Amino acid sequence: MDIYDLFLYLSVGAGFLMAFNLGANDVANSMASAVGARAITVKQAVFIAGSLNFVGAVFLGSHVTATISKGIINPEVISDPKLVMIGMFAALLAAGIWVLVATLTSLPVSSTHSIVGAITGFGLVAGGPDVVNWLKMGGIVLSWVISPFFAAAIAYFIFTHIRRYILFQHHFIRQAKKWAPIWVAITLSMISLSFLYKTPAGKSLNLHWLVSLGIAGFLALLAWAAARVFVGKIVLDEEEGAEGVERVFRKMLVGTSCYVALSQGANDVANAIGPVAAIYLIAKEHVLLARAEVPWPMLVLGGFGIAVGIALLGHKVMATVGEKITTLTNTRGFAVDFGAASTVLVASNLGLPVSTTHAAVGGVVGVGLARGFSAVDFRVLLRIVAYWVATVPIAALTSIVIFVLLKWLCYG
């Protein structure tokens, strides 16, 4: 076994560790609002998030994976491909260790921050400042800033809309029956467009954008009609109290949580599999190719690791995001999920490895602020933000230490 094969096997293990941590920390965000609002139990959340993240990672994840592995580092600056291989392995370990520490303290951190910081750390040591694609980094950093505010703004708008046009109306059951199917239709149209533009099956159809819009519009119309019938069966008595509205949105909240889980699997699998894919290419070709397909077994490995992670440790971060920042109900949880999922899905389709954690926490803060500043526990929020700020430097420093040690062991 040569050094290339050795690091390939080690990286598969490190990639699984990173995927496990993704499930334990980031993925918990996808079900946090539904669990916090008592729409589903923790066991149900684990099953739904595990299975849908697996589907999202395997069938939707290849595009963003390419961005992580070849977008941050410019391999031409580092002449020795073995150094890139060792560095990617060090980055995986460093990011995995930091996310595991955060999970054990029940705080949500961004795996995207962790892996980007770790890759940047070893890149600076291996090749100097020129090795980092600063233009690409600028786009990624911009997405870090945009995602929490964008998700918060969408969640704030949706929950304010629900309050104004449903909960604050005299006949709010009638209003819920009017507006709930519209939100269902909008959600389904976004999912449809994502599948058509992102999945290999959808892209192989090579549809004109007008045709894609037509298909999404048709499916949205069907969803609207079906939702009208379904909502009517959920609430039969129009004189029923606010519990009737919450019952309608409980079903929608479960649906949007599934939507978040699916889009999260597509976006976050890159954090675990991107470096593994880079190492695989170096081990097979002894060079980091400019363009290459990410092997499907790696996406399966990432999806499986995510599912195991949420099953074993997902409840820790789920409790923090779903219960400790602000009090969630089904209507608030729906607004959180829609804001987070929309942000992640749009960014994923643009090839940006956006932070799902930031989007989810941003959505929770958005619905909290819709009820006033007193509705948000800023002590918990500040602890979370402190971890966010520390993530990039800690991951970068840890990656540098591991990289220097491995380089010394391999090169003497």
Side-chain angles (χ1 to χ4, degrees), residues 8 18 41 55 62 69 184 229 254 293 337 339 345 349:
L8 176 59
M18 188 62 193
T41 65
V55 172
S62 59
S69 62
V184 170
V229 176
V254 175
E293 292 292 325
D337 276 1
L345 209 52
N349 279 316

Side-chain angles (χ1 to χ4, degrees), residues 27-42:
V27 173
N29 298 321
S30 64
M31 288 292 153
S33 54
V35 172
R38 306 287 189 270
I40 55 175
T41 65
V42 173

Side-chain angles (χ1 to χ4, degrees), residues 9-260:
Y9 293 131
L10 288 174
S11 71
V12 169
F16 184 82
L17 171 68
M18 188 62 193
F20 175 89
N21 287 315
L22 275 172
N25 197 302
D26 284 45
V27 173
N29 298 321
S30 64
M31 288 292 153
S33 54
V35 172
R38 306 287 189 270
I40 55 175
T41 65
V42 173
K43 285 185 179 178
Q44 290 170 326
V46 166
F47 175 76
I48 294 170
S51 54
L52 286 181
N53 266 272
F54 181 85
V55 172
V58 173
F59 295 103
L60 302 175
S62 59
H63 182 63
V64 180
T65 302
T67 302
I68 279 280
S69 62
K70 295 183 281 293
I72 301 167
I73 293 293
N74 180 5
E76 294 177 359
V77 178
I78 304 174
S79 56
D80 188 352
K82 273 195 294 188
L83 276 182
V84 179
M85 184 175 66
I86 295 170
M88 286 293 181
F89 176 72
L92 266 180
L93 266 188
I97 291 169
W98 169 243
V99 179
L100 182 61
V101 168
T103 303
L104 294 176
T105 53
S106 303
L107 286 175
V109 296
S110 168
S111 60
T112 309
H113 274 212
S114 303
I115 198 66
V116 168
I119 290 176
T120 305
F122 101 79
L124 287 171
V125 173
D130 291 342
V131 78
V132 180
N133 186 339
W134 294 108
L135 188 62
K136 179 72 73 176
M137 276 291 291
I140 292 171
V141 169
L142 197 61
S143 75
W144 295 346
V145 177
I146 291 173
S147 57
F149 288 100
F150 193 58
I154 295 176
Y156 181 95
F157 166 75
I158 291 176
F159 184 56
T160 302
H161 184 278
I162 290 170
R163 294 176 91 192
R164 181 175 298 171
Y165 292 99
I166 298 177
L167 297 176
F168 289 173
Q169 294 291 314
H170 183 62
H171 298 290
F172 47 74
I173 294 293
R174 195 178 301 168
Q175 289 294 103
K177 288 183 175 181
K178 173 185 174 184
W179 283 105
I182 293 175
W183 286 118
V184 170
I186 293 172
T187 303
L188 191 75
S189 63
M190 291 186 65
I191 294 173
S192 305
L193 288 173
S194 172
F195 269 85
L196 287 173
Y197 281 111
K198 188 164 180 60
T199 63
K203 285 190 287 190
S204 67
L205 296 174
N206 198 25
L207 297 176
H208 191 276
W209 64 272
L210 278 175
V211 178
S212 299
L213 280 179
I215 291 173
F218 176 70
L219 290 176
L221 194 62
L222 286 180
W224 174 79
R228 275 179 62 89
V229 176
F230 190 61
V231 170
K233 290 183 178 179
I234 294 175
V235 186
L236 298 174
D237 184 6
E238 294 206 346
E239 300 303 318
E240 191 177 352
E243 177 56 30
V245 177
E246 290 296 327
R247 203 158 59 247
V248 171
F249 276 88
R250 184 179 300 140
K251 303 293 183 185
M252 295 169 62
L253 175 57
V254 175
T256 51
S257 293
C258 294
Y259 170 37
V260 174

Side-chain angles (χ1 to χ4, degrees), residues 363-403:
V364 172
V365 174
V367 296
L369 290 177
R371 296 183 297 125
F373 282 92
S374 60
V376 178
D377 189 334
F378 284 98
R379 290 172 301 177
V380 175
L381 186 61
L382 284 175
R383 283 184 63 205
I384 292 172
V385 172
Y387 265 60
W388 288 359
V389 173
T391 291
V392 170
I394 287 179
L397 191 62
T398 310
S399 174
I400 289 171
V401 171
I402 296 172
F403 174 70

Side-chain angles (χ1 to χ4, degrees), residues 257-383:
S257 293
C258 294
Y259 170 37
V260 174
L262 190 70
S263 61
Q264 192 176 39
N267 202 51
D268 283 5
V269 71
N271 299 329
I273 297 307
V276 182
I279 293 170
Y280 171 80
L281 292 174
I282 295 169
K284 294 299 178 190
E285 309 291 340
H286 292 196
V287 64
L288 185 59
L289 300 177
R291 298 181 65 83
E293 292 292 325
V294 176
W296 278 74
M298 290 189 184
L299 293 174
V300 173
L301 174 77
F304 181 66
I306 289 172
V308 174
I310 190 172
L312 295 183
L313 290 178
H315 61 279
K316 286 180 170 289
V317 173
M318 211 181 287
T320 301
V321 177
E323 298 173 5
K324 294 180 180 176
I325 299 174
T326 192
T327 304
L328 293 178
T329 61
N330 295 305
T331 47
R332 297 169 196 163
F334 170 77
V336 169
D337 276 1
F338 194 94
S342 303
T343 302
V344 170
L345 209 52
V346 170
S348 181
N349 279 316
L350 292 174
L352 293 175
V354 68
S355 165
T356 311
T357 302
H358 288 197
V361 173
V364 172
V365 174
V367 296
L369 290 177
R371 296 183 297 125
F373 282 92
S374 60
V376 178
D377 189 334
F378 284 98
R379 290 172 301 177
V380 175
L381 186 61
L382 284 175
R383 283 184 63 205

